[in-house]
Amino acid sequence: MRVYNFSAGPAVLPEEVLKEAADEMLDYNGTGMSVMEMSHRSKAYDEIIKTAEKDLRELMNIPDNYKVLFLQGGASQQFAAVPMNLMKNKKAAYIVTGQWAKKAYQEAKIYGEAVEVASSADKTFSYIPDCSDLAIPDDADYVYICENNTIYGTKFKTLPNTKGKILVSDVSSCFLSEPVDVTKYGVIYGGVQKNVGPAGVVIAIIREDLITDDVLPGTPTMLKWKTQADNDSLYNTPPCYGIYICGKVFKWIKKMGGLEAMKAHNEKKAKILYDFLDQSKLFKGTVRPEDRSLMNVPFVTGNEELDAKFVKEAKAAGFENLKGHRTVGGMRASIYNAMPIEGVEKLVAFMKKFEEENG
Ligand SMILES: *Cc1c(COP(=O)(O)O)cnc(C)c1O
């Protein structure tokens, strides 16, 4: 039996995609082998990775002057790759809105001067700071954000005013959740295990002029974006199976109506949960309403014992992984693309019942 899986990542994937992958496990498309077993240089695999890229380009409307790279090492590896590839002046501006942004900021300090130009640490990262007029150094190579803060449940609704600098965005937990204007970014990247596929793949969408040989001295060959771009993500063995599943998820999103439809579906789900939280006497959302994420919804009862009781009883009722991040406590429901509406409706019904019994 499948449960409702509210994990922040690795996370729920569309059942249809899992079933299709299961059907193709022993014999992919008449090749007599699994995608796991085939050469990344084979004709069959070439078609898989090319089709995945083509579908992603279509979904996100990615202009021709942007490269799509399928990489490994997790989003965390890009925390280093970003400064290595972009720090020409050895200076960059970081907006610190949570733990992932902070990790990226700290990693950048190894390679140059990372300047924290805004932060929401003063209120436990429960809001997005005003980024309309920040003191961005004139010689900053880029401005960095984590667009959706997985742990704290905040999302940038407006992109920062970068004052003409390149915007670099970690979109790990909001990838393909709604339409984006790629042209506003220099680099968009994310680990796929939150909203797109299995762990092991990072997708980076990078404007072509930012992909050069002019990288920091000592940059490993594998971390140089140009290596990967020149070789169409096949410099070495890519995470073949993961990319194949991502490709299936892209097809699933296209079938669902693309990113506009995904956004509507995600808004509908998030509204059900936030509306309940806003009128509940027991449960409270922890994020400033205008900054709420559509993907990650943290909430608390205000009583740690009651939180623990809720998580335990929810699990017994088939709602998995509702415990909040270990650094913030409480609960968090991650309601990514593949979470069906009835999953959220049933969760809310369960929360109502819990409130009646424990209010
Ligand atoms: C999960 C997450 C990461 C870390 O991803 P890894 O693939 O484990 O390195 C980075 N940024 C955000 C926004 C995340 O949600």
Side-chain angles (χ1 to χ4, degrees), residues 8-9 73-77 79 100-101 144 146-151 170-174 189-194 199-202 296 336:
S76 304
Q77 179 86 285
F79 295 172
W100 295 119
Y144 184 99
C146 175
E147 200 157 328
N148 185 81
N149 295 281
T150 325
I151 296 173
D170 173 359
V171 298
S172 295
S173 51
C174 59
Y189 78 91
V192 304
Q193 74 271 24
K194 308 289 160 72
V201 183
V202 178
N296 311 97
Y336 296 119

Side-chain angles (χ1 to χ4, degrees), residues 38-349:
M38 71 179 51
S39 165
H40 58 295
R41 311 272 177 210
S42 65
K43 195 160 166 283
Y45 195 73
D46 186 61
E47 195 187 322
I48 289 172
I49 190 165
K50 291 227 166 84
T51 306
E53 177 174 340
K54 186 174 142 284
D55 286 336
L56 180 66
R57 283 185 176 277
E58 228 176 280
L59 276 174
M60 291 181 71
N61 200 13
I62 300 173
D64 287 344
N65 65 326
Y66 284 75
K67 289 274 187 201
V68 173
L69 306 181
F70 294 100
L71 308 171
Q72 304 196 51
S76 304
Q77 179 86 285
Q78 295 303 307
F79 295 172
V82 165
M84 283 176 162
N85 284 274
L86 294 181
M87 268 192 176
K88 319 292 173 193
N89 297 327
K90 295 221 174 181
K91 195 183 277 188
Y94 278 73
I95 298 173
V96 179
T97 51
Q99 208 184 90
W100 295 119
K102 192 170 165 191
K103 280 192 170 163
Y105 164 64
Q106 284 167 339
E107 188 74 12
K109 283 187 182 181
I110 299 173
Y111 304 101
E113 190 185 341
V115 184
E116 186 188 83
V117 290
S119 166
S120 51
D122 60 334
K123 290 183 182 149
T124 336
F125 301 116
S126 60
Y127 70 103
I128 298 288
D130 177 0
C131 298
S132 58
D133 186 19
L134 299 174
I136 294 167
D138 282 342
D139 55 346
D141 293 301
Y142 59 89
V143 175
Y144 184 99
I145 61 168
C146 175
E147 200 157 328
N148 185 81
N149 295 281
T150 325
I151 296 173
Y152 303 94
T154 57
K155 160 103 207 282
F156 279 83
K157 303 290 165 81
T158 349
L159 294 175
N161 174 0
T162 64
K163 308 206 167 156
K165 307 295 177 204
I166 297 157
L167 180 63
V168 177
S169 178
D170 173 359
V171 298
S172 295
S173 51
C174 59
F175 223 155
L176 303 180
S177 62
E178 56 184 283
V180 284
D181 181 354
V182 175
T183 63
K184 294 202 167 121
Y185 303 81
V187 180
I188 303 177
Y189 78 91
V192 304
Q193 74 271 24
K194 308 289 160 72
N195 204 23
V196 185
V201 183
V202 178
I203 298 174
I205 301 159
I206 309 172
R207 216 174 63 207
E208 252 167 16
D209 60 293
L210 304 177
I211 302 175
T212 67
D213 281 315
D214 180 20
V215 297
L216 293 186
T219 298
T221 308
M222 283 286 292
L223 289 190
K224 198 165 126 182
W225 290 332
K226 189 153 192 305
T227 307
Q228 306 288 355
D230 286 350
N231 291 280
D232 295 325
S233 305
L234 292 165
Y235 171 73
N236 71 327
T237 319
C240 301
Y241 196 80
I243 295 169
Y244 154 76
I245 299 290
C246 290
K248 286 197 178 301
V249 173
F250 301 155
K251 291 251 185 258
W252 176 78
I253 297 174
K254 280 175 76 176
K255 206 173 94 187
M256 298 283 285
L259 297 188
E260 285 291 350
M262 269 300 134
K263 183 182 187 201
H265 165 72
N266 289 326
E267 281 175 344
K268 195 166 162 189
K269 280 185 295 182
K271 185 171 182 340
I272 294 169
L273 191 45
Y274 286 125
D275 280 355
F276 171 72
L277 290 171
D278 286 344
Q279 60 75 54
S280 170
K281 293 201 172 56
L282 182 64
F283 296 102
K284 272 196 309 290
T286 55
V287 170
R288 185 167 76 176
E290 59 267 40
D291 301 323
R292 286 168 165 175
S293 164
L294 291 180
M295 299 279 97
N296 311 97
V297 183
F299 56 94
V300 294
T301 64
N303 173 327
E304 273 178 40
E305 271 167 41
L306 210 51
D307 287 351
K309 183 169 186 250
F310 175 79
V311 171
K312 186 164 169 245
E313 289 182 14
K315 184 176 168 67
F319 305 101
E320 288 276 349
N321 293 313
L322 282 164
K323 196 168 185 298
H325 190 268
R326 61 199 147 77
T327 57
V328 287
M331 281 74 71
R332 171 180 50 173
S334 294
I335 50 175
Y336 296 119
N337 285 353
M339 172 58 65
I341 293 209
E342 62 268 23
V344 178
E345 285 170 345
K346 286 183 181 165
L347 172 65
V348 165

